[in-house]
């Protein structure tokens, strides 16, 4: 089968890491026609809007996209492209798996958890205004519907992937109404899954406990801003942004992207670590049913990390993006080796 998938190369290190991820995906032999689309600075340079309708239409048509990081142009009138994309496509689930990789030395071994972040509201609703000079107000929007659907997704995910515990993360002691409503919806959904342990923990306590002992958590479920912060924190537990993958999923479309941003400090220097976006691409392959190809990519990455000879700067090495991409392709097991 030949798939058509939208590719948003992004800017900064985007073209380098997405070029690498595409090469690695193509090395698996899965046939993909990439529909390359613009967004952000590149779109503005081409005389379009930051988030052109043609780009959104491509994702809506293909249902799946691989996306490099996109910087929102600085200046008045530019809304965040990433937030805009999530809203326009209604990708209300941000799924960020956090796992240890053999060969990457970190404080804790065998970390294996998943962060679910509500992707469409909270403080990211973008409702800010000046009340009087010197006083501004930001509105945190929490709705029952959006809270319920992210909780339902997280519980269904836990059921199908064999995960046994969900922790709803909140600050309901302070935000009694907003975080309170989020928790009410999580509880309502949890009652339908008595075989999955459900608990609630304040975000400050989770931040401390997860650094001391990440093994006590399994699935973390939270609203938008907490999820943004916690997923970066969790990526730090397992090797940093260079290896942290993610996906934005809705009822119609799924967009696979790394947790990291466009890293302008190392852009265009062939230094960026392509592993985060490549693991996101492996998640994308699983999403479309190409599980063996996904496993081959993950094994190739693991073999390169275990061998330890080819590493980019963020992992303490000196290899270039091209060198580590070549090494992953060379290390990928054959289809027979990963057959179930
Ligand atoms: P954003 O606001 O878009 O999330 P940010 O400024 O928070 O971006 P990132 O661009 O995600 O930050 O990255 C922070 C730093 O981490 C970068 O400046 C870079 O040095 C490093 N970094 C991020 N991603 C990578 C990568 N893939 N490979 C190597 N280093 C990276």
């Amino acid at each position: 089968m030949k798939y058509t998938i939208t590719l948003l190369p992004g800017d900064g290190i985007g073209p380098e890491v997405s070029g690498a991820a595409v090469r690695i995906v193509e090395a698996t032999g899965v046939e993909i026609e990439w529909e390359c689309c613009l967004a952000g600075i590149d779109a503005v340079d081409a005389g379009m809007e930051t988030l052109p309708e043609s780009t959104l239409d491509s994702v809506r048509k293909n249902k799946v996209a691989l996306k490099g990081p996109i910087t929102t142009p600085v200046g008045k009138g530019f809304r965040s492209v990433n937030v805009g994309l999530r809203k326009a496509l209604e990708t209300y689930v941000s799924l960020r798996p956090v796992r240890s990789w053999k060969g990457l030395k970190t404080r804790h071994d065998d970390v294996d958890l998943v962060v679910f972040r509500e992707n469409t509201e909270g403080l990211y609703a973008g409702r800010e205004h000046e009340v009087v000079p010197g006083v501004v107000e930001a509105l945190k929007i929490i709705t029952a519907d959006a809270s319920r659907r992210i909780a339902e997704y997280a519980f269904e995910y836990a059921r199908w992937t064999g995960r046994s515990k969900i922790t709803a993360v909140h600050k309901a002691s302070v935000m009694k109404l907003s975080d309170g409503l989020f928790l009410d919806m999580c509880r309502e959904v949890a009652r339908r899954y008595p075989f999955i342990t459900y608990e609630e923990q304040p975000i400050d306590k989770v931040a401390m406990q997860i650094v001391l002992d990440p093994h006590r958590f399994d699935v973390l479920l939270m609203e938008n801003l907490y999820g943004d912060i916690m997923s970066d924190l969790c990526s730090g537990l397992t090797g940093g942004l260079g290896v942290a993958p993610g996906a934005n999923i809705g009822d119609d479309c799924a967009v696979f992207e790394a947790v990291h941003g466009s890293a302008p400090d190392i852009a265009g220097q062939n230094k960026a670590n392509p592993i985060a976006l490549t693991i996101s691409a492996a998640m994308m392959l699983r999403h479309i049913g190409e599980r063996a190809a996904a496993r081959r990519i993950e094994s190739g990455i693991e073999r390169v990390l275990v061998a330890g000879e080819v590493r980019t700067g963020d992992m303490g090495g000196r290899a270039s993006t091209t060198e580590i991409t070549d090494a992953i392709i060379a290390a990928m097991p054959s289809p027979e080796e990963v057959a179930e």
Side-chain angles (χ1 to χ4, degrees):
M1 167 155 187
K2 186 164 185 171
Y3 305 92
T4 307
I5 291 178
T6 304
L7 177 68
L8 300 167
D11 49 66
I13 58 171
E16 296 160 77
V17 291
S18 57
V22 164
R23 272 188 62 206
I24 294 168
V25 168
E26 288 186 342
T28 65
V30 173
E31 275 190 76
I32 297 176
E33 188 186 318
W34 300 98
E35 229 169 69
C36 203
C37 292
L38 297 180
I41 296 167
D42 294 345
V44 173
D45 288 348
M48 299 190 245
E49 290 174 37
T50 47
L51 195 48
E53 207 50 41
S54 54
T55 297
L56 292 170
D57 284 344
S58 169
V59 188
R60 286 189 189 115
K61 172 174 67 75
N62 298 325
K63 311 292 180 204
V64 181
L66 182 65
K67 170 184 167 295
I70 297 174
T71 315
T72 300
V74 181
K76 277 209 155 86
F78 291 119
R79 284 179 58 217
S80 163
V81 179
N82 301 303
V83 175
L85 196 62
R86 289 169 201 161
K87 275 195 178 161
L89 299 172
E90 275 287 303
T91 49
Y92 59 89
V93 178
S94 165
L95 161 60
R96 289 173 173 181
V98 181
R99 56 160 282 196
S100 304
W101 287 86
K102 283 190 197 125
L104 263 194
K105 215 177 142 25
T106 47
R107 190 185 291 265
H108 302 282
D109 293 328
D110 302 323
V111 177
D112 179 18
L113 41 94
V114 180
V115 177
F116 279 100
R117 161 186 177 189
E118 200 292 319
N119 230 358
T120 59
E121 54 180 26
L123 283 162
Y124 288 71
R127 306 270 170 83
E128 286 189 309
H129 59 265
E130 189 176 60
V131 182
V132 290
V135 182
V136 292
E137 194 170 57
L139 299 180
K140 171 161 162 166
I141 311 291
I142 299 286
T143 64
D145 285 348
S147 304
R148 193 185 301 108
R149 68 182 177 179
I150 183 77
E152 281 170 342
Y153 196 96
F155 274 90
E156 272 304 295
Y157 178 94
R159 184 221 292 269
W160 290 110
T161 53
R163 291 186 177 266
S164 56
K165 185 166 92 170
I166 295 194
T167 306
V169 181
H170 65 93
K171 191 72 188 174
S173 59
V174 177
M175 279 153 279
K176 293 186 169 63
L177 283 181
S178 52
D179 283 15
L181 177 59
F182 183 79
L183 286 182
D184 282 347
M185 293 304 110
C186 292
R187 270 175 223 150
E188 183 188 299
V189 176
R191 278 197 285 277
R192 309 202 312 250
Y193 296 80
F195 40 85
I196 294 172
T197 306
Y198 171 71
E199 65 171 19
E200 296 166 359
Q201 297 278 358
I203 176 112
D204 41 347
K205 191 169 164 205
V206 172
M208 188 265 289
Q209 284 183 339
I210 209 162
V211 172
L212 291 177
D213 180 16
H215 304 108
R216 72 176 300 288
F217 297 104
D218 190 357
V219 176
L220 298 168
L221 168 61
M222 61 203 94
E223 62 85 81
N224 213 336
L225 178 65
Y226 306 155
D228 186 22
I229 297 167
M230 286 306 296
S231 44
D232 270 32
L233 188 153
C234 288
S235 80
L237 295 172
T238 51
L241 287 171
V243 295
N248 295 313
I249 303 170
D251 292 334
D252 287 332
C253 309
V255 178
F256 295 83
E257 64 175 323
V259 171
H260 64 71
S262 56
D265 52 329
I266 54 165
Q269 298 168 38
N270 202 16
K271 278 185 182 169
N273 187 349
I275 290 180
L277 189 61
T278 303
I279 308 169
S280 312
M283 289 166 69
M284 177 195 83
L285 289 173
R286 256 198 200 93
H287 180 84
I288 61 173
E290 296 286 349
R291 291 200 294 269
R295 279 204 302 281
R296 288 175 64 206
I297 291 176
E298 287 159 355
S299 300
I301 292 170
E302 188 157 273
R303 286 177 181 183
V304 168
L305 294 177
V306 169
E309 281 158 18
V310 186
R311 288 183 178 204
T312 44
D314 59 305
M315 299 189 291
R318 302 169 68 93
S320 67
T321 310
T322 314
E323 283 164 340
I324 197 162
T325 306
D326 292 341
I328 293 168
I329 292 172
M332 238 165 26
S334 67
E336 294 72 36
E337 281 178 85
V338 298
E340 269 171 322

